[in-house]
Amino acid sequence: GQQVMQIPQYQHVQEGEDFTTYCNSSTTLSNIQWYKQRPGGHPVFLIQLVKSGEVKKQKRLTFQFGEAKKNSSLHITATQTTDVGTYFCAGPESNYQLIWGAGTKLIIKP
Amino acid sequence: DVKVTQSSRYLVKRTGEKVFLECVQDMDHENMFWYRQDPGLGLRLIYFSYDVKMKEKGDIPEGYSVSREKKERFSLILESASTNQTSMYLCASSSTGVRSPLHFGNGTRLTVT
């Protein structure tokens, strides 16, 4: 069946370092969504990418959607403590069902 | 802002009890979803509803049922709770299926003893 693989599972960074998480789908996606879940919180929508090769920026966050619409990445420049949490990608499996990546947990080293 | 409200933040129930988890959204969204989230397993869809009184099974419907009598309310029912249903339950809503963002509630952490 359709799968969305997300790596890495964890990333430990020093505050100020960059962070990247990658999603790869076994099939072409019509769109990809990114969510952030703070510790103890619920997933919060960040962005949706629709077009092949699309790049979108939100302040220090850069989202990319691959040319083949099978992979995507989220890059955070100069991480801050407020970036801590788990980042999930999700792509449509049907009109109503999303298939979720397992998430990448961003941990800031003390 | 969309608000999705889940009735309980924490719930402790005994094995065999019937459990109701309630979810209400205030944005007139057509679609509502119930997920469970477990460490290492990510988010898994239990049931969803695309209209009042309509329901569809997700990936893990066994042991659960749902009810959507009004557009704003979507209930998850555990007919006979078991310990393997101990989990975080997340309700979500969206306006146009997977083409629009999901808005999640704060979650209900259910413990079945």
Side-chain angles (χ1 to χ4, degrees):
Chain A
Q2 186 181 356
Q3 290 186 352
V4 172
M5 304 297 292
Q6 188 173 358
I7 56 168
Q9 191 176 0
Y10 302 94
Q11 192 166 4
H12 294 76
V13 299
Q14 298 278 5
E15 189 173 3
E17 290 182 339
D18 292 357
F19 161 86
T20 306
T21 173
Y22 300 91
C23 273
N24 290 290
S25 170
S26 58
T27 59
T28 302
L29 300 171
S30 58
N31 68 69
I32 193 158
Q33 299 177 9
W34 285 91
Y35 293 78
K36 176 185 178 181
Q37 185 172 20
R38 293 180 187 273
H42 58 276
V44 174
F45 174 79
L46 293 176
I47 208 160
Q48 178 171 277
L49 305 173
V50 178
K51 298 177 185 173
S52 168
E54 190 169 15
V55 178
K56 285 190 176 179
K57 293 193 175 188
Q58 290 179 350
K59 297 182 181 177
R60 292 177 296 103
L61 278 62
T62 302
F63 303 84
Q64 295 190 13
F65 200 13
E67 293 290 341
K69 300 181 76 172
K70 293 178 76 173
N71 55 67
S72 183
S73 65
L74 157 59
H75 180 82
I76 304 177
T77 304
T79 54
Q80 299 175 359
T81 55
T82 53
D83 297 324
V84 162
T86 302
Y87 293 85
F88 293 95
C89 62
E93 188 173 30
S94 68
N95 286 338
Y96 298 100
Q97 290 185 260
L98 286 172
I99 184 162
W100 293 79
T104 296
K105 193 170 185 178
L106 169 57
I107 299 161
I108 305 274
K109 296 179 196 173
Chain B
D1 251 7
V2 177
K3 189 152 185 173
V4 179
T5 303
Q6 294 184 230
S7 52
S8 305
R9 188 78 175 100
Y10 299 95
L11 214 48
V12 179
K13 295 291 180 181
R14 293 193 183 276
T15 301
E17 278 193 83
K18 191 168 186 175
V19 181
F20 293 86
L21 303 183
E22 305 286 348
C23 176
V24 177
Q25 51 95 3
D26 66 357
M27 280 303 290
D28 203 37
H29 281 172
E30 303 289 336
N31 311 294
M32 297 189 75
F33 307 83
W34 276 106
Y35 285 89
R36 66 177 278 178
Q37 185 174 31
D38 302 286
L41 296 176
L43 284 103
R44 293 181 291 168
L45 183 64
I46 306 171
Y47 267 95
F48 65 96
S49 168
Y50 53 86
D51 202 351
V52 176
K53 296 193 187 294
M54 304 304 289
K55 58 188 178 186
E56 293 286 341
K57 292 179 181 178
D59 298 318
I60 51 163
E62 296 78 19
Y64 303 95
S65 61
V66 290
S67 171
R68 194 162 181 207
E69 296 296 317
K70 293 185 177 181
K71 192 174 187 180
E72 67 271 18
R73 187 179 295 270
F74 193 35
S75 304
L76 180 69
I77 303 150
L78 286 67
E79 295 291 342
S80 177
S82 64
T83 54
N84 63 14
Q85 293 178 309
T86 291
S87 186
M88 170 67 86
Y89 290 88
L90 291 161
C91 175
S93 73
S94 75
S95 56
T96 52
V98 297
R99 290 176 289 143
S100 58
L102 293 187
H103 299 269
F104 285 87
N106 287 337
T108 296
R109 185 164 292 283
L110 172 67
T111 303
V112 182
T113 61

